[in-house]
Amino acid sequence: MGTAPTQCPSGITANFHAKFDNRTEFPSSSFPSTLNLAKLSIHPNSKGLVNRLGSLPDIDDLFWEKVPTPILDVVESPVHLKSLSIKELKLLADEIRSELSSTMSKTQRSFKASLAAVELTIALHYVFHAPVDKILWDAGEQTYAHKILTGRRFLMPTLRQKNGLSGYTSRAESEYDPFGAGHGCNSISAGLGMAVARDIKGKRERVVTVINNTTTMAGQVYEAMSNAGYLDSNLVVILNDSRHSLHPKIEEGPKTSINALSSTLSRFQSSKSFRKFREAAKDVTKKIGKGMHELAAKVDEYARGMMGPPGSTLFEELGLYYIGPVDGHNIEDLICVLQEVASLDSMGPVLIHVITEENQGSEADQKRGTVELQQEGLSLNGFYTFSNGDSCQTYSDCLVAALIMEAEKDKDIVVVHAGMEMDPSLKLFQERFSDRFFDVGMAEQHAVTFSAGLSCGGLKPFCIIPSAFLQRAYDQVVHDVDRQSIPVRFVITSAGLVGSDGPLQCGAFDITFMSCLPNMIVMAASDEDELMNMVTTAAQIDDRPVCFRYPRGALVRTNYPIRDRNALEIGTGKVVVEGKDVALLGYGAMVQNCLKAQALLSKLGISVTVADARFCKPLDTKLLRQLCGNHDILITVEEGSVGGFGSHVAQFIALDGQLDGRLKWRPIVLPDNYIEHASPGEQLALAGLTGHHIAATALSLLGRTREALLLMC
C-alpha cells in the first residue's frame, strides 16, 4: 500500500507531497472531500451529523477570543497535513494547543489529555491515511485535537452539549472515528478485530490504536495484547504515557527519561534495515533448529530490554515488538518512527512507547483556562461554584462525610475505589485513612473480587464504582460476591442520567442487574439524609452483600447535619406526603421529581401521596399494600431501565391480587433507547422523568387529558 517515505523528516515536505499526490493504492475516491470550514459545511459522509446538530451557531458566537491560527485555517482535513513542512507542523501544534485552551476552557471538562496528545495526533494523521487507515482511541479526553483535524473544528464549542459533538469518538459522528471510545481499554481488542478482518479480506490498510496510562490498569488490554502477539497481525499500538500513576509515591520515583540516546535507539529499533535484519535472523535460526530460534529470540528480547525502560520486556513477552521511549512532543522523531513502522508490510504487532506531558503549553494558556473556569463557575475543587462565589456540595461529599464518620467508629471499614477518575472528595478519606483506602483504577473486576477477599479476611469493604463501570464487573458480582453471600457494600455512583457524558457513562441498568441477584439488598437514596443513613445501614450488614445508588451532582439541600445516623430497617420505605387521589412511589433521586409533580397537581385540586421506596429488594410489601388500598392510581418512578424497581413492584402487586380490582398502575422508567449528551435537565425532559411528565401521567389516568397536554406545553 502507499505510505509516506521512510526517510526521517528533514526536507520531507516536497518529497512526500509528490509521492502522496501520485499514489496508486489510494485513489482520490478513497479520501473524503474536504470540509469548507468558512461555510461550516460538513462532509456528506458524516452520517447524519448535520441533521443531529440542526442549525449551527454563528461563528462569532463560537470564538469569543479568536486567536490567530493561519496554518490551522488552511488545514481542512488530515490530507492537508501532507503538504506542510516540519516547521509548519510545529507551528500547527502550537495553534491547536492555543485553540483548545481558549475553546475548551469554557466547558466543564479537563482537556489536558488532549493538550498532551497534540503532536502525537498531528504525526498520526501526517503519516497514516485516515479514514482508509483506522486510528482508534481508548479515551475520549485524548481526542479533541483529532476532532479539530477531522472536520469538526468549528463545532468544538458544542462538545457535550445537546445536539452537539460527543465527548468521545463516535462512529455516528464521523468516518474518521472507526470505533467508539468506551470507558477505555477497548481499542486494542477492536483494532485487532479490524486487522484480522483486513487480512481475511485481503486488504492493506493500517490499524493504529492509542492507549494511555489509565487504560493499562485494565485487564482487557493485556488480554488483547496477548492475542495480538499470538495472531501476529500487523497492528500498531501506541502507549501515550503521560506519566500518571495511582500512587503518588511511585510518581516521585524515577521516571522514564527521554534523551539523545533513547531517541537514537527508538529510530534504530523502528528502522526498516534493522527490522529486515531481524526477520532474516529469525529465518536462519528456524532453519538451524534445536531450540536455536527460541534462544535467539530471548537474547534479542533481553538485549533490547536492557536498552529500554523498566517494563518494556513485558510487552515483548506478550508478543509485541517494543519501540521507545519516544518524545511525544518531538514531531520529527514521532514522524520518523511512525513512517518506519508504516513502511513494513509484514511486521506483526508493534508497541510504540510515547512520553507526553499533560502540562505542555504556554503558561498564558494554562492561566487563561483556570481564570475562565473560575469565571464560568465550574468545578475546580470538587464543589459546584456559582457566580457569587458560593458553593454547594455534591452527593459524593456527603458520602465521604458519612464514611469518615463510620470509619472513625469501626476500624474494620475500608474503601475500595475503581473507575477512570477518582472524585476529589474521596481524597479526604484517603488522607484521613491512607492504610484503609485502595484505588485500583480502571480495574473494576479486580476491585469486586478484591473487596470479597477483604470481607473474607474480616474487614468491611465499601466498594465504590460508578454505575456504568460496574457493568464490567458483573460476573464477579455474581460469582465472587452474591453467590457466596459475602458482605461487600457496593456504593454505586453516577446513577441515572449523567448529562454531558451522555450514554457512555449513563447509569441506566444497575437497578435491573443488581436487584435480580438472590442475596443482594438493593437501596437508593432520595436525598443526602437518606444517603448517610444508607452508609450506616450498609456498615451494619454482615451476612450478605448490599448496594445503594446515588446520582451525580449537587445535593437537594446545602445544610445537611453531620451527626450519628440510624440504620434503616431493611425493606422499609416511608410516606413523605399524605394524599388520597394519586400515589406516587419514587425510587432514589426520582422522589424529588415526584414532590415537584405533587406540587403541580395540588394546584389543580388533586390530592397526592408521595412515598420513598428506599428499597427495591426487599420491597416494602406493607407500604405497597397500603398505597394500593388507599388510592385508585399508583405510579412508580425510577431513573433506570425497564426491568428494575417498577418490574419488582409489578411482580408483587400482580401476585398479591392488587391489579384484579380498581387499581390503575403505571411505571415511569428510562426509555428503551440511549439518551445522547445534553444538560441534566434536558436529558430528564427527553426521558420523560420531569415533575411535569409525572404530573401529566397522573392527569391522563384521571381522565383529564386536556390538562395533561396543557401541562406539557
Side-chain angles (χ1 to χ4, degrees):
M1 71 177 267
T3 60
T6 58
Q7 67 185 55
C8 289
S10 55
I12 197 172
T13 305
N15 186 18
F16 180 77
H17 187 49
K19 185 172 287 189
F20 180 80
D21 287 342
N22 294 320
R23 63 188 180 275
T24 55
E25 288 85 357
F26 289 98
S28 59
S29 60
S30 299
F31 289 86
S33 58
T34 59
L35 171 69
N36 187 336
L37 293 177
K39 296 181 180 179
L40 282 176
S41 60
I42 303 295
H43 180 267
N45 291 336
S46 294
K47 301 180 182 179
L49 180 59
V50 172
N51 292 334
R52 279 204 305 112
L53 293 173
S55 59
L56 296 172
D58 186 85
I59 295 179
D60 293 334
D61 294 333
L62 294 181
F63 290 95
W64 40 90
E65 293 181 10
K66 185 69 172 67
V67 179
T69 53
I71 299 177
L72 181 57
D73 290 343
V74 300
V75 178
E76 299 181 352
S77 74
V79 71
H80 294 118
L81 294 176
K82 317 294 183 179
S83 61
L84 299 179
S85 67
I86 294 300
K87 181 179 180 181
E88 289 169 330
L89 292 175
K90 292 178 180 178
L91 292 174
L92 175 64
D94 292 337
E95 291 181 8
I96 292 176
R97 188 169 279 112
S98 179
E99 179 142 326
L100 276 173
S101 296
S102 62
T103 304
M104 298 306 300
S105 60
K106 292 289 184 179
T107 71
Q108 297 187 32
R109 288 291 172 171
S110 171
F111 52 93
K112 284 187 176 182
S114 284
L115 289 178
V118 168
E119 287 85 0
L120 174 60
T121 304
I122 291 173
L124 284 170
H125 281 295
Y126 183 91
V127 173
F128 296 98
H129 304 309
V132 178
D133 290 336
K134 312 301 180 187
I135 302 175
L136 290 76
W137 304 80
D138 256 359
E141 289 76 11
Q142 297 184 91
T143 64
Y144 300 158
H146 163 76
K147 287 176 180 282
I148 286 176
L149 291 174
T150 53
R152 290 167 274 184
R153 176 191 176 191
F154 283 130
L155 300 174
M156 290 302 292
T158 71
L159 194 74
R160 299 175 180 270
Q161 297 177 12
K162 183 180 180 181
N163 295 329
L165 292 179
S166 170
Y168 309 89
T169 55
S170 169
R171 283 162 50 89
E173 185 177 285
S174 173
E175 61 183 341
Y176 289 98
D177 297 349
F179 201 80
H183 296 311
C185 85
N186 67 354
S187 68
I188 301 179
S189 299
L192 180 60
M194 293 179 186
V196 171
R198 170 203 62 201
D199 297 341
I200 292 175
K201 289 182 173 290
K203 297 182 179 180
R204 303 182 66 187
E205 71 265 21
R206 299 296 188 192
V207 180
V208 184
T209 71
V210 185
I211 64 175
N212 62 13
N213 301 78
T214 308
T215 296
T216 57
M217 297 302 298
Q220 183 180 347
V221 167
Y222 301 101
E223 294 173 2
M225 286 184 183
S226 179
N227 194 218
Y230 173 76
L231 294 174
D232 203 34
S233 292
N234 287 0
L235 175 70
V236 179
V237 178
I238 296 177
L239 171 57
N240 178 18
D241 182 0
S242 56
R243 308 179 193 237
H244 274 312
S245 172
L246 288 175
H247 307 289
K249 292 181 181 179
I250 296 178
E251 282 190 338
E252 294 168 3
K255 295 181 179 179
T256 303
S257 61
I258 299 292
N259 51 40
L261 177 60
S262 62
S263 177
T264 301
L265 288 174
S266 296
R267 293 191 182 203
F268 177 68
Q269 288 174 324
S270 63
S271 67
K272 182 184 294 186
S273 57
F274 178 74
R275 297 296 303 280
K276 285 186 174 180
F277 171 78
R278 192 168 178 266
E279 293 301 318
K282 285 183 181 180
D283 292 338
V284 171
T285 55
K286 284 180 180 178
K287 291 177 181 179
I288 294 175
K290 297 182 180 180
M292 182 60 69
H293 175 66
E294 289 78 8
L295 176 61
K298 287 294 181 184
V299 171
D300 170 67
E301 174 186 324
Y302 288 116
R304 293 193 307 106
M306 290 176 64
M307 297 184 294
S312 59
T313 54
L314 168 64
F315 304 111
E316 294 280 348
E317 289 288 346
L318 291 171
L320 280 74
Y321 180 80
Y322 176 88
I323 299 172
V326 182
D327 185 349
H329 301 297
N330 187 321
I331 289 183
E332 192 167 358
D333 281 356
L334 285 169
I335 290 177
C336 181
V337 170
L338 291 173
Q339 283 178 340
E340 294 288 1
V341 169
S343 67
L344 289 178
D345 289 330
S346 178
M347 62 179 180
V350 173
L351 184 135
I352 304 174
H353 185 183
V354 175
I355 304 294
T356 60
E357 294 285 351
E358 286 197 349
N359 292 323
Q360 186 77 7
S362 68
E363 292 183 6
D365 287 339
Q366 298 292 330
K367 184 177 180 181
R368 175 175 55 194
T370 301
V371 169
E372 290 179 341
L373 279 171
Q374 292 172 337
Q375 290 175 345
E376 289 295 310
L378 303 178
S379 178
L380 291 172
N381 57 358
F383 295 90
Y384 287 82
T385 59
F386 299 100
S387 57
N388 61 4
D390 293 337
S391 64
C392 68
Q393 291 178 295
T394 67
Y395 275 96
S396 291
D397 297 318
C398 182
L399 169 76
V400 172
L403 283 173
I404 289 175
M405 189 165 53
E406 292 298 325
E408 287 176 340
K409 296 185 296 184
D410 190 341
K411 61 180 176 32
D412 289 335
I413 289 178
V414 296
V415 168
V416 178
H417 175 266
M420 291 180 67
E421 297 178 354
M422 185 172 70
D423 193 286
S425 59
L426 281 172
K427 294 180 181 178
L428 295 175
F429 188 97
Q430 185 181 32
E431 293 169 359
R432 188 76 170 269
F433 307 101
S434 59
D435 58 338
R436 293 157 64 182
F437 183 87
F438 307 92
D439 183 15
V440 302
M442 197 187 299
E444 295 85 2
Q445 298 174 5
H446 165 65
V448 171
T449 306
F450 175 54
S451 297
L454 290 170
S455 182
C456 290
L459 297 177
K460 297 181 178 181
F462 280 78
C463 185
I464 304 175
I465 305 180
S467 174
F469 291 79
L470 185 60
Q471 297 162 187
R472 294 176 157 197
Y474 190 55
D475 180 64
Q476 284 71 26
V477 173
V478 174
H479 290 283
D480 297 343
V481 176
D482 191 77
R483 187 178 62 82
Q484 303 179 69
S485 199
I486 295 175
V488 173
R489 299 144 189 89
F490 292 101
V491 182
I492 305 174
T493 70
S494 296
L497 301 169
V498 290
S500 61
D501 277 325
L504 185 65
Q505 294 190 29
C506 175
F509 311 115
D510 62 271
I511 305 173
T512 299
F513 66 67
M514 295 298 274
S515 62
C516 68
L517 300 178
N519 293 319
M520 188 71 67
I521 295 174
V522 184
M523 303 183 286
S526 59
D527 58 28
E528 57 274 16
D529 288 322
E530 290 297 321
L531 176 59
M532 298 187 80
N533 288 335
M534 287 177 184
V535 172
T536 300
T537 304
Q540 296 183 14
I541 296 173
D542 59 4
D543 61 342
R544 58 165 72 183
V546 58
C547 69
F548 56 93
R549 68 176 344 223
Y550 66 84
R552 180 185 294 185
L555 297 174
V556 177
R557 293 180 291 276
T558 58
N559 56 344
Y560 61 91
I562 303 297
R563 54 177 171 77
D564 286 340
R565 296 285 169 162
N566 298 318
L568 302 175
E569 182 181 348
I570 302 301
T572 60
K574 66 177 181 178
V575 174
V576 182
V577 177
E578 287 274 10
K580 58 183 177 60
D581 298 325
V582 176
L584 302 179
L585 179 58
Y587 184 67
M590 286 298 100
V591 171
Q592 304 305 321
N593 285 10
C594 289
L595 289 170
K596 293 176 182 177
Q598 183 266 338
L600 291 169
L601 292 170
S602 65
K603 294 178 181 179
L604 299 175
I606 300 171
S607 179
V608 177
T609 293
V610 176
D612 180 357
R614 285 179 174 157
F615 291 84
C616 178
K617 187 173 186 178
L619 284 171
D620 187 343
T621 56
K622 180 179 179 181
L623 175 62
L624 279 172
R625 289 191 177 109
Q626 174 186 332
L627 295 175
C628 293
N630 297 338
H631 304 82
D632 293 335
I633 294 173
L634 171 65
I635 300 174
T636 57
V637 188
E638 64 189 295
E639 197 174 1
S641 67
V642 64
F645 173 69
S647 296
H648 282 260
V649 170
Q651 174 83 359
F652 170 75
I653 62 177
L655 294 177
D656 199 50
Q658 299 293 337
L659 294 177
D660 298 343
R662 56 181 171 77
L663 180 69
K664 295 180 180 179
W665 167 74
R666 294 292 185 273
I668 298 180
V669 301
L670 287 174
D672 192 24
N673 59 268
Y674 295 104
I675 299 177
E676 295 300 327
H677 51 276
S679 71
E682 290 169 334
Q683 283 194 321
L684 283 172
L686 290 170
L689 286 173
T690 67
H692 281 72
H693 285 90
I694 299 169
T697 300
L699 287 169
S700 296
L701 291 171
L702 289 167
R704 299 165 66 165
T705 308
R706 177 179 173 78
E707 290 172 287
L709 293 173
L710 290 173
L711 195 62
M712 296 307 301
C713 290

